[in-house]
Amino acid sequence: MVRGMSSSEEAAAVALVESFRAAQNAGDVAACLALLHPEAVFDIGTGRFEGVPRIATLLRLLARLHYTTTGAPPVPGAGGGLAALWTVHHDDLRRGRIGELRVHAEIGVAGGAIVLLRTRPTPDTLERLRAASGSVDPDAYSDAREREP
């Protein structure tokens, strides 16, 4: 059970996230937006999107790329939220012959809406991204806030 949530609240939070994923996999941006808190934050490692208008722009781009995720529903995670390991597929990955990406997701749900979605590539995915970009920079594809000063 997620800290601070009853089992029924936890089940509702997981169902909400799975509804969001189903809508995103179908390219239904409007349905995705209906499940977000107005001040939601999406932090996808390569960018941070705050508030529904900015997230809507991101979701429209992802829909054009046929962005989908597969993987098990989220489970209780650290800090009172949900956590998941998902596999990401989209057109740019196929065109670039990168294949699929595995990401760790942290999801915050409150008041029947998603308030946070934070994703980070797994270590093996991060290595593949660096290799595909030809980068030897160890900070390539990392979050500037997570680097040493």
Short mmCIF file of all heavy atoms in Angstrom, two decimals, residues 28-79:
data_model
loop_
_atom_site.label_atom_id
_atom_site.label_comp_id
_atom_site.label_asym_id
_atom_site.label_seq_id
_atom_site.Cartn_x
_atom_site.Cartn_y
_atom_site.Cartn_z
N ASP A 28 -4.76 9.70 -27.61
CA ASP A 28 -5.91 10.53 -27.20
C ASP A 28 -5.45 11.58 -26.19
O ASP A 28 -5.55 11.39 -24.97
CB ASP A 28 -7.00 9.64 -26.61
CG ASP A 28 -8.29 10.38 -26.35
OD1 ASP A 28 -8.29 11.63 -26.32
OD2 ASP A 28 -9.32 9.69 -26.16
N VAL A 29 -4.95 12.70 -26.69
CA VAL A 29 -4.40 13.76 -25.85
C VAL A 29 -5.47 14.33 -24.93
O VAL A 29 -5.21 14.56 -23.74
CB VAL A 29 -3.76 14.86 -26.71
CG1 VAL A 29 -3.32 16.04 -25.87
CG2 VAL A 29 -2.58 14.29 -27.49
N ALA A 30 -6.67 14.55 -25.42
CA ALA A 30 -7.74 15.12 -24.58
C ALA A 30 -8.04 14.23 -23.38
O ALA A 30 -8.21 14.72 -22.26
CB ALA A 30 -9.00 15.33 -25.41
N ALA A 31 -8.09 12.92 -23.60
CA ALA A 31 -8.34 12.00 -22.49
C ALA A 31 -7.19 12.03 -21.49
O ALA A 31 -7.41 11.95 -20.28
CB ALA A 31 -8.57 10.58 -23.01
N CYS A 32 -5.96 12.15 -21.98
CA CYS A 32 -4.81 12.26 -21.08
C CYS A 32 -4.93 13.51 -20.22
O CYS A 32 -4.74 13.46 -18.99
CB CYS A 32 -3.50 12.34 -21.88
SG CYS A 32 -2.99 10.82 -22.68
N LEU A 33 -5.22 14.64 -20.85
CA LEU A 33 -5.29 15.91 -20.13
C LEU A 33 -6.37 15.91 -19.06
O LEU A 33 -6.21 16.53 -18.01
CB LEU A 33 -5.50 17.06 -21.11
CG LEU A 33 -4.37 17.28 -22.11
CD1 LEU A 33 -4.74 18.38 -23.10
CD2 LEU A 33 -3.06 17.57 -21.42
N ALA A 34 -7.44 15.19 -19.30
CA ALA A 34 -8.54 15.12 -18.33
C ALA A 34 -8.12 14.42 -17.04
O ALA A 34 -8.79 14.57 -16.02
CB ALA A 34 -9.74 14.40 -18.95
N LEU A 35 -7.01 13.70 -17.08
CA LEU A 35 -6.55 12.94 -15.91
C LEU A 35 -5.44 13.66 -15.14
O LEU A 35 -4.92 13.12 -14.17
CB LEU A 35 -6.07 11.55 -16.35
CG LEU A 35 -7.14 10.71 -17.06
CD1 LEU A 35 -6.52 9.45 -17.63
CD2 LEU A 35 -8.28 10.39 -16.11
N LEU A 36 -5.10 14.87 -15.58
CA LEU A 36 -4.01 15.62 -14.96
C LEU A 36 -4.51 16.71 -14.03
O LEU A 36 -5.50 17.37 -14.32
CB LEU A 36 -3.13 16.26 -16.03
CG LEU A 36 -2.47 15.35 -17.05
CD1 LEU A 36 -1.65 16.17 -18.03
CD2 LEU A 36 -1.62 14.30 -16.36
N HIS A 37 -3.75 16.94 -12.97
CA HIS A 37 -3.97 18.10 -12.11
C HIS A 37 -3.56 19.34 -12.92
O HIS A 37 -2.60 19.27 -13.71
CB HIS A 37 -3.11 17.97 -10.85
CG HIS A 37 -3.34 19.05 -9.86
ND1 HIS A 37 -2.72 20.28 -9.96
CD2 HIS A 37 -4.12 19.09 -8.77
CE1 HIS A 37 -3.11 21.04 -8.96
NE2 HIS A 37 -3.97 20.34 -8.22
N PRO A 38 -4.23 20.48 -12.76
CA PRO A 38 -3.88 21.67 -13.55
C PRO A 38 -2.42 22.10 -13.43
O PRO A 38 -1.86 22.67 -14.35
CB PRO A 38 -4.81 22.76 -13.00
CG PRO A 38 -5.96 22.01 -12.41
CD PRO A 38 -5.41 20.71 -11.91
N GLU A 39 -1.79 21.80 -12.29
CA GLU A 39 -0.40 22.20 -12.09
C GLU A 39 0.54 20.99 -12.12
O GLU A 39 1.62 21.01 -11.53
CB GLU A 39 -0.27 22.96 -10.78
CG GLU A 39 -1.06 24.26 -10.79
CD GLU A 39 -1.03 24.99 -9.47
OE1 GLU A 39 -0.17 24.67 -8.61
OE2 GLU A 39 -1.86 25.87 -9.29
N ALA A 40 0.15 19.96 -12.84
CA ALA A 40 0.97 18.75 -12.93
C ALA A 40 2.36 19.08 -13.50
O ALA A 40 2.53 20.08 -14.20
CB ALA A 40 0.28 17.71 -13.81
N VAL A 41 3.30 18.21 -13.19
CA VAL A 41 4.67 18.34 -13.69
C VAL A 41 5.07 17.02 -14.32
O VAL A 41 4.91 15.96 -13.72
CB VAL A 41 5.65 18.67 -12.55
CG1 VAL A 41 7.10 18.65 -13.05
CG2 VAL A 41 5.32 20.02 -11.92
N PHE A 42 5.57 17.09 -15.55
CA PHE A 42 6.16 15.94 -16.23
C PHE A 42 7.64 16.25 -16.36
O PHE A 42 8.02 17.24 -16.98
CB PHE A 42 5.56 15.73 -17.62
CG PHE A 42 4.26 15.00 -17.64
CD1 PHE A 42 3.40 14.99 -16.56
CD2 PHE A 42 3.88 14.31 -18.77
CE1 PHE A 42 2.19 14.31 -16.60
CE2 PHE A 42 2.68 13.62 -18.83
CZ PHE A 42 1.82 13.62 -17.75
N ASP A 43 8.47 15.40 -15.81
CA ASP A 43 9.92 15.55 -15.87
C ASP A 43 10.44 14.30 -16.54
O ASP A 43 10.48 13.23 -15.95
CB ASP A 43 10.48 15.70 -14.46
CG ASP A 43 11.98 15.88 -14.43
OD1 ASP A 43 12.64 15.71 -15.47
OD2 ASP A 43 12.50 16.18 -13.34
N ILE A 44 10.79 14.42 -17.83
CA ILE A 44 11.15 13.24 -18.61
C ILE A 44 12.64 13.14 -18.85
O ILE A 44 13.09 12.43 -19.74
CB ILE A 44 10.36 13.18 -19.94
CG1 ILE A 44 10.65 14.41 -20.80
CG2 ILE A 44 8.87 13.04 -19.66
CD1 ILE A 44 10.10 14.30 -22.20
N GLY A 45 13.42 13.82 -18.06
CA GLY A 45 14.87 13.73 -18.19
C GLY A 45 15.45 14.65 -19.23
O GLY A 45 16.43 15.32 -18.99
N THR A 46 14.85 14.71 -20.40
CA THR A 46 15.31 15.62 -21.45
C THR A 46 14.53 16.93 -21.43
O THR A 46 14.79 17.81 -22.23
CB THR A 46 15.18 14.97 -22.85
OG1 THR A 46 13.82 14.58 -23.04
CG2 THR A 46 16.11 13.78 -22.98
N GLY A 47 13.57 17.04 -20.52
CA GLY A 47 12.80 18.27 -20.40
C GLY A 47 11.83 18.19 -19.24
O GLY A 47 11.43 17.11 -18.81
N ARG A 48 11.49 19.35 -18.74
CA ARG A 48 10.53 19.46 -17.63
C ARG A 48 9.36 20.31 -18.12
O ARG A 48 9.57 21.41 -18.64
CB ARG A 48 11.21 20.11 -16.43
CG ARG A 48 10.35 20.20 -15.20
CD ARG A 48 11.18 20.79 -14.06
NE ARG A 48 10.37 21.11 -12.93
CZ ARG A 48 10.17 20.29 -11.89
NH1 ARG A 48 10.77 19.12 -11.86
NH2 ARG A 48 9.42 20.66 -10.90
N PHE A 49 8.16 19.78 -17.98
CA PHE A 49 6.95 20.43 -18.47
C PHE A 49 6.02 20.66 -17.29
O PHE A 49 5.60 19.69 -16.64
CB PHE A 49 6.29 19.55 -19.53
CG PHE A 49 7.21 19.26 -20.69
CD1 PHE A 49 8.15 18.25 -20.62
CD2 PHE A 49 7.16 20.06 -21.82
CE1 PHE A 49 9.02 17.99 -21.67
CE2 PHE A 49 8.03 19.81 -22.88
CZ PHE A 49 8.96 18.79 -22.80
N GLU A 50 5.72 21.92 -17.01
CA GLU A 50 4.92 22.28 -15.85
C GLU A 50 3.59 22.88 -16.29
O GLU A 50 3.57 23.80 -17.08
CB GLU A 50 5.68 23.26 -14.96
CG GLU A 50 6.97 22.66 -14.42
CD GLU A 50 7.72 23.60 -13.50
OE1 GLU A 50 7.08 24.48 -12.88
OE2 GLU A 50 8.94 23.45 -13.40
N GLY A 51 2.51 22.32 -15.76
CA GLY A 51 1.17 22.81 -16.06
C GLY A 51 0.60 22.16 -17.30
O GLY A 51 1.33 21.72 -18.20
N VAL A 52 -0.72 22.09 -17.33
CA VAL A 52 -1.41 21.40 -18.41
C VAL A 52 -1.11 21.97 -19.80
O VAL A 52 -0.91 21.20 -20.74
CB VAL A 52 -2.93 21.33 -18.12
CG1 VAL A 52 -3.71 20.87 -19.34
CG2 VAL A 52 -3.19 20.40 -16.94
N PRO A 53 -1.02 23.29 -20.00
CA PRO A 53 -0.73 23.78 -21.35
C PRO A 53 0.60 23.27 -21.90
O PRO A 53 0.68 22.85 -23.06
CB PRO A 53 -0.72 25.31 -21.19
CG PRO A 53 -1.61 25.57 -20.02
CD PRO A 53 -1.35 24.41 -19.08
N ARG A 54 1.65 23.28 -21.08
CA ARG A 54 2.96 22.78 -21.55
C ARG A 54 2.94 21.28 -21.75
O ARG A 54 3.52 20.75 -22.70
CB ARG A 54 4.06 23.15 -20.55
CG ARG A 54 4.25 24.64 -20.46
CD ARG A 54 5.60 25.23 -20.74
NE ARG A 54 6.58 24.48 -21.45
CZ ARG A 54 7.78 24.17 -20.96
NH1 ARG A 54 8.12 24.52 -19.75
NH2 ARG A 54 8.65 23.52 -21.70
N ILE A 55 2.27 20.56 -20.84
CA ILE A 55 2.19 19.10 -20.96
C ILE A 55 1.38 18.74 -22.20
O ILE A 55 1.70 17.78 -22.90
CB ILE A 55 1.61 18.47 -19.68
CG1 ILE A 55 2.58 18.68 -18.52
CG2 ILE A 55 1.31 16.99 -19.89
CD1 ILE A 55 2.02 18.32 -17.15
N ALA A 56 0.35 19.52 -22.51
CA ALA A 56 -0.45 19.27 -23.71
C ALA A 56 0.42 19.33 -24.96
O ALA A 56 0.28 18.50 -25.87
CB ALA A 56 -1.60 20.27 -23.80
N THR A 57 1.34 20.29 -25.02
CA THR A 57 2.25 20.40 -26.15
C THR A 57 3.10 19.14 -26.27
O THR A 57 3.27 18.59 -27.37
CB THR A 57 3.14 21.66 -26.00
OG1 THR A 57 2.30 22.81 -25.95
CG2 THR A 57 4.13 21.78 -27.15
N LEU A 58 3.64 18.69 -25.15
CA LEU A 58 4.43 17.46 -25.14
C LEU A 58 3.60 16.27 -25.60
O LEU A 58 4.04 15.49 -26.45
CB LEU A 58 4.97 17.19 -23.73
CG LEU A 58 5.63 15.82 -23.53
CD1 LEU A 58 6.91 15.69 -24.36
CD2 LEU A 58 5.89 15.59 -22.04
N LEU A 59 2.39 16.14 -25.07
CA LEU A 59 1.55 14.99 -25.42
C LEU A 59 1.15 14.99 -26.89
O LEU A 59 1.08 13.92 -27.51
CB LEU A 59 0.32 14.95 -24.52
CG LEU A 59 0.59 14.63 -23.04
CD1 LEU A 59 -0.69 14.79 -22.22
CD2 LEU A 59 1.20 13.25 -22.88
N ARG A 60 0.93 16.17 -27.46
CA ARG A 60 0.63 16.23 -28.90
C ARG A 60 1.82 15.75 -29.73
O ARG A 60 1.68 15.02 -30.70
CB ARG A 60 0.19 17.64 -29.31
CG ARG A 60 -1.24 17.96 -28.88
CD ARG A 60 -1.75 19.25 -29.51
NE ARG A 60 -1.06 20.43 -29.03
CZ ARG A 60 -1.38 21.12 -27.93
NH1 ARG A 60 -2.41 20.72 -27.19
NH2 ARG A 60 -0.71 22.19 -27.59
N LEU A 61 3.03 16.17 -29.33
CA LEU A 61 4.23 15.70 -30.02
C LEU A 61 4.37 14.18 -29.89
O LEU A 61 4.62 13.49 -30.88
CB LEU A 61 5.48 16.38 -29.45
CG LEU A 61 6.81 15.78 -29.90
CD1 LEU A 61 7.02 16.01 -31.40
CD2 LEU A 61 7.95 16.33 -29.09
N LEU A 62 4.19 13.66 -28.70
CA LEU A 62 4.30 12.22 -28.49
C LEU A 62 3.26 11.45 -29.30
O LEU A 62 3.56 10.38 -29.84
CB LEU A 62 4.20 11.88 -27.00
CG LEU A 62 5.34 12.43 -26.12
CD1 LEU A 62 5.09 12.09 -24.66
CD2 LEU A 62 6.70 11.95 -26.59
N ALA A 63 2.07 11.99 -29.42
CA ALA A 63 1.03 11.33 -30.22
C ALA A 63 1.45 11.27 -31.69
O ALA A 63 1.24 10.25 -32.36
CB ALA A 63 -0.31 12.05 -30.08
N ARG A 64 2.07 12.35 -32.20
CA ARG A 64 2.55 12.34 -33.58
C ARG A 64 3.66 11.32 -33.80
O ARG A 64 3.83 10.81 -34.91
CB ARG A 64 3.03 13.74 -34.00
CG ARG A 64 1.89 14.70 -34.29
CD ARG A 64 2.37 15.97 -34.99
NE ARG A 64 3.37 16.72 -34.25
CZ ARG A 64 3.11 17.65 -33.33
NH1 ARG A 64 1.86 17.95 -33.02
NH2 ARG A 64 4.09 18.30 -32.74
N LEU A 65 4.42 11.01 -32.76
CA LEU A 65 5.50 10.03 -32.85
C LEU A 65 5.03 8.60 -32.60
O LEU A 65 5.84 7.69 -32.59
CB LEU A 65 6.60 10.36 -31.83
CG LEU A 65 7.40 11.62 -32.04
CD1 LEU A 65 8.33 11.86 -30.85
CD2 LEU A 65 8.20 11.53 -33.33
N HIS A 66 3.72 8.45 -32.35
CA HIS A 66 3.16 7.14 -32.00
C HIS A 66 3.84 6.56 -30.76
O HIS A 66 4.20 5.40 -30.71
CB HIS A 66 3.23 6.17 -33.19
CG HIS A 66 2.52 6.70 -34.38
ND1 HIS A 66 3.20 7.19 -35.46
CD2 HIS A 66 1.21 6.84 -34.65
CE1 HIS A 66 2.33 7.62 -36.36
NE2 HIS A 66 1.11 7.42 -35.89
N TYR A 67 4.01 7.41 -29.76
CA TYR A 67 4.66 7.06 -28.50
C TYR A 67 3.74 6.13 -27.71
O TYR A 67 2.57 6.45 -27.48
CB TYR A 67 4.91 8.33 -27.70
CG TYR A 67 5.54 8.16 -26.34
CD1 TYR A 67 6.90 8.40 -26.17
CD2 TYR A 67 4.80 7.79 -25.24
CE1 TYR A 67 7.49 8.27 -24.93
CE2 TYR A 67 5.39 7.65 -24.00
CZ TYR A 67 6.73 7.90 -23.85
OH TYR A 67 7.31 7.77 -22.62
N THR A 68 4.27 4.99 -27.30
CA THR A 68 3.51 4.06 -26.46
C THR A 68 4.43 3.51 -25.37
O THR A 68 5.66 3.54 -25.49
CB THR A 68 2.94 2.88 -27.27
OG1 THR A 68 4.01 2.14 -27.85
CG2 THR A 68 1.97 3.35 -28.35
N THR A 69 3.80 3.02 -24.32
CA THR A 69 4.54 2.34 -23.26
C THR A 69 3.90 0.98 -23.03
O THR A 69 2.69 0.81 -23.17
CB THR A 69 4.54 3.11 -21.93
OG1 THR A 69 3.21 3.28 -21.46
CG2 THR A 69 5.21 4.47 -22.08
N THR A 70 4.75 0.03 -22.68
CA THR A 70 4.28 -1.27 -22.26
C THR A 70 4.93 -1.55 -20.91
O THR A 70 5.92 -0.91 -20.53
CB THR A 70 4.67 -2.37 -23.27
OG1 THR A 70 6.09 -2.35 -23.46
CG2 THR A 70 3.96 -2.18 -24.60
N GLY A 71 4.39 -2.50 -20.21
CA GLY A 71 4.93 -2.87 -18.91
C GLY A 71 3.83 -3.01 -17.89
O GLY A 71 2.67 -2.66 -18.15
N ALA A 72 4.20 -3.49 -16.75
CA ALA A 72 3.23 -3.74 -15.68
C ALA A 72 2.71 -2.43 -15.10
O ALA A 72 3.37 -1.39 -15.20
CB ALA A 72 3.90 -4.56 -14.58
N PRO A 73 1.52 -2.48 -14.50
CA PRO A 73 1.00 -1.29 -13.82
C PRO A 73 1.94 -0.86 -12.70
O PRO A 73 2.74 -1.66 -12.20
CB PRO A 73 -0.34 -1.77 -13.24
CG PRO A 73 -0.71 -2.95 -14.06
CD PRO A 73 0.58 -3.60 -14.46
N PRO A 74 1.86 0.40 -12.29
CA PRO A 74 2.73 0.88 -11.22
C PRO A 74 2.41 0.20 -9.89
O PRO A 74 1.31 -0.33 -9.69
CB PRO A 74 2.45 2.37 -11.16
CG PRO A 74 1.10 2.54 -11.76
CD PRO A 74 0.95 1.44 -12.76
N VAL A 75 3.41 0.24 -9.02
CA VAL A 75 3.29 -0.32 -7.68
C VAL A 75 3.72 0.75 -6.68
O VAL A 75 4.29 1.77 -7.08
CB VAL A 75 4.18 -1.58 -7.52
CG1 VAL A 75 3.70 -2.70 -8.46
CG2 VAL A 75 5.64 -1.26 -7.77
N PRO A 76 3.46 0.54 -5.40
CA PRO A 76 3.91 1.53 -4.41
C PRO A 76 5.41 1.77 -4.52
O PRO A 76 6.19 0.83 -4.67
CB PRO A 76 3.55 0.88 -3.07
CG PRO A 76 2.42 -0.04 -3.40
CD PRO A 76 2.71 -0.55 -4.78
N GLY A 77 5.78 3.03 -4.47
CA GLY A 77 7.19 3.40 -4.59
C GLY A 77 7.64 4.23 -3.41
O GLY A 77 6.88 4.47 -2.46
N ALA A 78 8.86 4.69 -3.49
CA ALA A 78 9.42 5.52 -2.43
C ALA A 78 8.71 6.87 -2.38
O ALA A 78 8.22 7.36 -3.39
CB ALA A 78 10.91 5.72 -2.69
N GLY A 79 8.67 7.45 -1.23
CA GLY A 79 8.13 8.79 -1.09
C GLY A 79 6.62 8.89 -1.18
O GLY A 79 6.09 9.97 -1.36
#
